[in-house]
Amino acid sequence: MTLLIDAWVVIVAWNATYLFRLGFERWIVARPDYDTWVLFGVVLVYLLASAACKVPQSMWRFCGFGEVKRLTLACAVAGLVCAAGVMGLQLYKVPRAVLALHPLVVWVGVCLVRIAYRMLYEHARARITGGQGDIRRAVVLGAGEAAKRLLAGIHRQGWIVLGLLDDDPAKQGARIAGVPVLGPLDAVLDKGVRGAATHLVIALPSASAAQRRRAVELAGRAGLPVLTVPSAEELRDGQAHVDRVRDIEPEDLLGREAVQLDEAGIGDVLCGKTVLITGAGGSIGSELCRQVARFGPARLVLYELSEFNLYSIEQALSGQFPNLPLVRLVGDVRDAQHLRATFSRWRPQVVFHAAAYKHVPLMEDLNAWSALRNNTLGTYQAARAAAEAGAERFVLISTDKAVNPTNVMGASKRAAEMVVSSLVEEFTHTRFMAVRFGNVLGSSGSVIPKFKEQIARGGPVTVTHPDIIRYFMTIPEAARLVLQAAAIGDSGQVLVLDMGEPVKIVDLARTMIRLSGHSEQDIPIVFSGLRPGEKLYEELLADADATVPTPIPRLRIARLRESAASLQVADWLAHMHQADSLPDAEVRLRLRTLVPEYVPAV
């Protein structure tokens, strides 16, 4: 259609130029006999020039300066070719003024047609939408079923989709719901393809993690804000609709394939059971609650110190699982008497211990005693209370910072693993186990929320060191790993996830800056230096530890070495329970007596 209209404009401009040159009396009769054939050749040249300059690929309702530049180039090239052709063929009866003026008249004509169309479109759109809000124009990466469903509903939200991109050659050049497929995904880097887009939307929920990660990387290099449709898991769980775009979330940045778990085995452990979760309102605890609720427990006991967090998770679970009986308890794992009373009353069969202080620098200075009391002594009290109440399984959520710890938080979590293991022989009816994983993207205190806030403020984004790396997993993946540990773990075991390649924190910061539509010139990255107790890299296993495989791919069981200190846990606990408060230096000394591999950072 575009080429037909442009051809009509070329014909009108040719006649208008004759009229201007020869006047009303002679503009028809004074033409040479071969003028029709000349006009035919002129139209053909203009159309070929337009195609070469990608003029037909543009959308008139978004015509802007870039389109005008392409039209100018096409008209200039076509005008020169036509003039050279007429002169070379010695067709001297065609007036030279016509050859000179015709490209200018064509250029004015094609520009006016597009401008008029855009004015009418904007007027009609303003009448429909009331003219409220900014116009958001998107190019969508993906042209599959998700893109079709997105197009069906996104226009009602005030969005205008300029085009689609897809690597499938069969889709390129086609139209989906009236929107053209402009090229492969890497065409998003072409300004001519992006046109007047204000946003990019990734619509690849069913693609592999590697494909989604590639799409995110390409979109980030385009310099526009990037959004995405909900993931396949969100759509499957009914948490979102495909026509509702959202910001890029941590799991989109990670680009990892989710571990496939034994859902049937987990269901056997949780279905119809009373399950208690400490720290139920925290980042990991709240996701654990959601994951456990899916398996139909008889009762879910929420044990949480923060009143607000407890209220938040209770409201979320009540809305999503209205038939699940909830017990909402404000409680502190440092309160042994309250723990024993709680476990004695509700008799949980499965306990997930997620209550912990985990912020490394915060626990390093002035709060070391609080970290030890909560992370180590609180874990021991919760584990003993669970066993005394007849619990079948007790699962401790540990961390990679427990391996060769250099900080109080990591040492207190390694000590927690050891005090839980010390109960194995005393309570043979309870399985005690721990799950160890790396940093959780998007959890409270993680870098993602911090980077988001800094970008929203206009920067700078602070990274402690240019070489610092971390292993990452998503909150849902961490929660599923914990459930799997409860199903297959045996007493005294620590389960470890093969977390793949570590991520450089500075690269993560750069990606988030790009996905927000900015560059490092707009939002700089500042290196602030390593914080107290912080490592450049984390480990999931100590050198002397060994692992054995499990039926779950990428999930292994660590058989941890025993030391003389670990055999004296009972004496160590007895001394610690006698202390009311200890200074930081004394806490570090006490932790080293139990965890000899703990070497505080200088």
Side-chain angles (χ1 to χ4, degrees), residues 51 57 72 85 90 131 153 181-182 217 219 261 426 439 503 511 537 562:
Q57 296 181 13
T72 303
Q90 298 181 357
V181 180
L182 303 176
E217 291 173 353
L261 303 182
E426 182 178 355
N439 295 270
V503 177
T511 299
Y537 61 93
E562 291 187 352

Side-chain angles (χ1 to χ4, degrees), residues 179-208:
V179 178
V181 180
L182 303 176
L185 293 183
D186 55 14
V188 72
L189 303 177
D190 187 342
K191 291 182 178 179
V193 173
R194 294 198 306 269
T198 60
H199 293 76
L200 300 175
V201 177
I202 298 174
L204 299 165
S206 301
S208 67

Side-chain angles (χ1 to χ4, degrees), residues 233-261:
E233 182 176 339
E234 291 172 301
L235 298 174
R236 184 170 56 250
D237 294 343
Q239 300 175 20
H241 299 283
V242 73
D243 61 349
R244 294 285 177 178
V245 294
R246 61 165 173 78
D247 292 331
I248 296 292
E249 296 296 336
E251 52 267 33
D252 303 310
L253 298 176
L254 190 57
R256 277 164 38 94
E257 297 289 353
V259 179
Q260 298 301 312
L261 303 182

Side-chain angles (χ1 to χ4, degrees), residues 115-126:
I115 292 171
Y117 182 90
R118 178 167 181 175
M119 290 174 61
L120 289 172
Y121 174 81
E122 296 290 353
H123 177 70
R125 185 179 184 278

Side-chain angles (χ1 to χ4, degrees), residues 314-584:
E314 184 266 340
Q315 290 294 301
L317 291 174
S318 297
Q320 194 171 356
F321 305 96
N323 298 320
L324 174 63
L326 298 176
V327 178
R328 305 154 296 173
L329 299 176
V330 175
D332 188 345
V333 296
R334 293 171 294 187
D335 187 344
Q337 184 176 352
H338 187 260
L339 275 173
R340 285 195 297 270
T342 297
F343 281 86
S344 177
R345 178 178 180 183
W346 299 106
R347 299 284 176 179
Q349 291 141 300
V350 182
V351 178
F352 296 100
H353 182 57
Y357 291 146
K358 63 178 186 177
H359 196 280
V360 171
L362 199 60
M363 295 299 105
E364 198 68 16
D365 293 323
L366 305 178
N367 295 304
W369 172 243
S370 294
L372 188 149
R373 281 191 67 207
N374 191 76
N375 293 358
T376 307
L377 302 183
T379 296
Y380 175 76
Q381 290 167 174
R384 174 168 282 277
E388 291 174 348
E392 299 171 3
R393 289 172 170 83
F394 181 91
V395 183
L396 164 67
I397 297 175
S398 190
T399 171
D400 57 356
K401 293 175 179 62
V403 182
N404 295 327
T406 60
N407 50 67
V408 169
M409 195 283 282
S412 68
K413 293 297 283 185
R414 176 64 185 123
E417 294 177 355
M418 297 171 70
V419 299
V420 167
S421 296
S422 71
L423 299 173
V424 170
E425 294 184 3
E426 182 178 355
F427 298 99
T428 57
H429 61 273
T430 300
R431 294 187 186 183
F432 296 98
M433 62 203 75
V435 186
R436 187 186 287 170
F437 46 73
N439 295 270
V440 179
L441 283 172
S443 63
S444 60
S446 74
V447 295
I448 294 291
K450 173 186 170 185
F451 287 169
K452 281 185 175 180
E453 292 174 5
Q454 292 176 332
I455 292 170
R457 292 198 306 264
V461 172
T462 56
V463 178
T464 56
H465 194 282
D467 297 325
I468 193 167
I469 60 174
R470 289 291 181 265
Y471 291 95
F472 282 109
M473 65 192 311
T474 65
I475 292 177
E477 188 176 11
R480 288 193 293 268
L481 172 63
V482 174
L483 299 188
Q484 186 66 75
I488 69 171
D490 206 350
S491 243
Q493 292 179 340
V494 176
L495 284 88
V496 182
L497 176 68
D498 176 6
M499 300 189 67
E501 295 298 321
V503 177
K504 219 172 183 181
I505 301 298
V506 68
D507 291 340
L508 190 62
R510 290 182 178 126
T511 299
M512 291 190 64
I513 291 171
R514 289 198 303 267
L515 292 175
S516 69
H518 298 91
S519 66
E520 285 188 57
Q521 286 70 39
D522 304 324
I523 300 179
I525 294 175
V526 175
F527 297 105
S528 57
L530 290 175
R531 298 172 297 180
E534 190 172 42
K535 290 181 179 181
L536 271 179
Y537 61 93
E538 301 290 359
E539 307 157 273
L540 291 174
L541 287 173
D543 292 339
D545 297 335
T547 65
V548 295
T550 71
I552 307 302
R554 295 169 56 198
L555 187 64
R556 302 183 68 84
I557 297 173
R559 296 199 178 278
L560 305 178
R561 62 183 176 184
E562 291 187 352
S563 64
S566 68
L567 301 177
Q568 302 170 3
V569 171
D571 291 339
W572 184 87
L573 285 168
H575 284 95
M576 295 308 304
H577 282 303
Q578 294 173 4
D580 292 329
S581 180
L582 295 174
D584 287 358

Side-chain angles (χ1 to χ4, degrees), residues 122-133:
E122 296 290 353
H123 177 70
R125 185 179 184 278
R127 288 178 64 88
I128 295 172
T129 63
Q132 298 177 355

